[in-house]
Amino acid sequence: MANKKLTLALFSGSVDKLTAAGVILGGAAAEDMDVEIYVLLQAAFAFKKENAMTNERVAEITDKKDEFLASLRSLGTPHWTEAFRTAKEMTNVKIHICGFAGKVWKGYKLDDFIGLADDICGIGEYMTSAEESDINLFI
Amino acid sequence: MTTEELKALTVNKSVDARGTSCPGPLLAAKKAIGQIEEGQVMEVLSADEGTRRDIPKWCTKKGYEYLGTLEEAGYYKIFLKK
């Protein structure tokens, strides 16, 4: 039986939402799902090499940012890049950087982004993947 | 299985995931299940309430047999058979 498929339109460049995406990816990995991630606009900022580990922006409950980040650390929560890497090691996960999003943040080549990214693509591939998926998410 | 039966089980693989939060224990279970043979028993130690609910459902989806859970002091022992 073919694996179930998850398509994730990842728009957010905030660590709270990226961490949530990492948790969901863990669930998908546990179930051997095939996963296609499309890195859109603000997420492309977070995927740039110079930003991935230093970016500490949060999108929600911003007045509690320090408490939130400290709580993640005390719980031993892996950094979102680590959660994504673990999922890639455990199941078939492909990460595509939207070419437009890349340009917005001056990322023109795959090498401008962290090694988790597999390629740079156009929106047509996202549409095809979404049509073929069992689960579609926008984060 | 009854509590007594779970306590008497011969465990072939023990996975201590008490230091991680969801989905850490589930991923630890998935990694470890490849290290045991069909018919063997694995226990997953987890302090995570969500994992207690996730592992039985994961077993059903993946074709493993969920045997039961023992509640220990501050954590759970979750048993399954490959």
Side-chain angles (χ1 to χ4, degrees):
Chain A
M1 195 173 71
N3 292 344
K4 295 249 183 181
K5 183 173 175 181
L6 163 68
T7 294
L8 170 58
L10 186 58
F11 164 82
S12 179
S14 304
V15 290
D16 47 355
K17 296 194 177 191
L18 289 163
T19 301
V23 172
I24 291 170
L25 284 182
E31 299 196 8
D32 298 308
M33 295 186 80
D34 293 333
V35 181
E36 301 278 348
I37 301 173
Y38 292 85
V39 174
L40 309 177
L41 285 172
Q42 313 304 60
F45 172 88
F47 270 79
K48 284 202 76 191
K49 277 181 177 170
E50 65 270 31
N51 300 331
M53 301 308 294
T54 56
N55 171 32
E56 289 194 334
R57 291 165 180 83
V58 295
E60 305 275 348
I61 318 181
T62 53
D63 59 317
K64 298 286 184 184
K65 175 183 143 180
D66 291 344
E67 187 180 329
F68 170 72
L69 294 175
S71 191
L72 287 185
R73 282 191 288 273
S74 71
L75 288 167
T77 308
H79 189 265
W80 68 267
T81 54
E82 192 55 40
F84 277 49
R85 186 171 294 110
T86 298
K88 285 196 82 160
E89 287 168 0
M90 296 183 75
T91 194
N92 181 27
V93 180
K94 295 290 182 210
I95 300 179
H96 314 281
I97 307 288
C98 163
F100 167 58
K103 285 179 194 168
V104 167
W105 294 109
K106 297 184 171 49
Y108 304 103
K109 311 180 301 294
L110 186 58
D111 193 47
D112 292 326
F113 300 93
I114 53 176
L116 291 169
D118 291 288
D119 55 32
I120 293 177
C121 76
I123 199 64
E125 288 185 40
Y126 163 73
M127 300 309 295
T128 302
S129 180
E131 283 171 3
E132 294 170 347
S133 282
D134 300 282
I135 300 173
N136 285 295
L137 294 176
F138 181 95
I139 295 178
Chain B
M1 279 188 160
T2 65
T3 299
E4 287 68 31
E5 287 171 328
L6 290 173
K7 284 180 177 172
L9 275 174
T10 300
V11 173
N12 303 100
K13 177 85 182 170
S14 182
V15 180
D16 189 346
R18 285 175 288 183
T20 66
S21 301
C22 179
L26 191 57
L27 292 173
K30 195 206 170 196
K31 280 181 186 168
I33 198 85
Q35 297 163 16
I36 63 171
E37 303 294 326
E38 210 164 304
Q40 291 189 320
V41 171
M42 184 167 86
E43 68 174 6
V44 181
L45 312 187
S46 173
D48 185 69
E49 183 71 30
T51 300
R52 181 193 192 189
R53 297 162 62 108
D54 277 349
I55 296 256
K57 289 172 184 162
W58 178 69
C59 287
T60 302
K61 285 183 178 177
K62 303 306 292 179
Y64 310 130
E65 184 183 355
Y66 168 67
L67 301 174
T69 297
L70 289 178
E71 195 163 346
E72 302 288 345
Y75 69 98
Y76 302 104
K77 278 186 180 175
I78 307 164
F79 297 89
L80 61 112
K81 184 191 277 188
K82 186 172 182 182

